Amino acid sequence: QVQLVESGGGLVQPGGSVRLSCAASGSIFSIYEMGWHRQAPGKQRELVASITSGGAIIYADSVKGRFTISGDNAKKRVYLQMNSLKPEDTAVYYCNANQGGLRFWGQGTQVTVSS
């Protein structure tokens, strides 16, 4: 079993920046991918960015050039630096980890972009 704990988030003005962090614990040895999804009110959960243990990275088109994902593979931590934030980035952001085909989720952290 894997537990994920997120930190960061909050209220930020348009154009601002926020950094999210996620730490995995439990049976983390075979985690091969970690990342972030988000869910806005009334919308489906969507991929934001992911990173594999080998360093392969995927970004959603909507965040390319503004968000940067990074990770510490040994410690199974993942970070999301979000710059040039827009109101449409407002959502609950969920950390997730992929282990042997099973996907584990954190509890989510709210990011609100508003003036």
Side-chain angles (χ1 to χ4, degrees), residues 11-12 14 19 25-26 31 36 42 48 52-53 71 75 78 80 83-85 87 94 97-98 103 110 112:
L11 175 64
V12 61
R19 185 174 189 252
S25 62
I31 291 175
W36 297 90
V48 176
T52 69
S53 56
K75 295 182 178 179
V78 66
L80 186 68
N83 299 328
S84 302
L85 282 161
Y94 295 92
N98 202 326
R103 188 174 295 276
Q110 177 71 45
T112 301

Side-chain angles (χ1 to χ4, degrees), residues 13-18 65-67 82-87 89 113:
Q13 291 187 341
S17 299
V18 167
R66 301 188 298 121
F67 291 10
M82 304 188 291
N83 299 328
S84 302
L85 282 161
K86 305 174 181 180
D89 294 317
V113 184

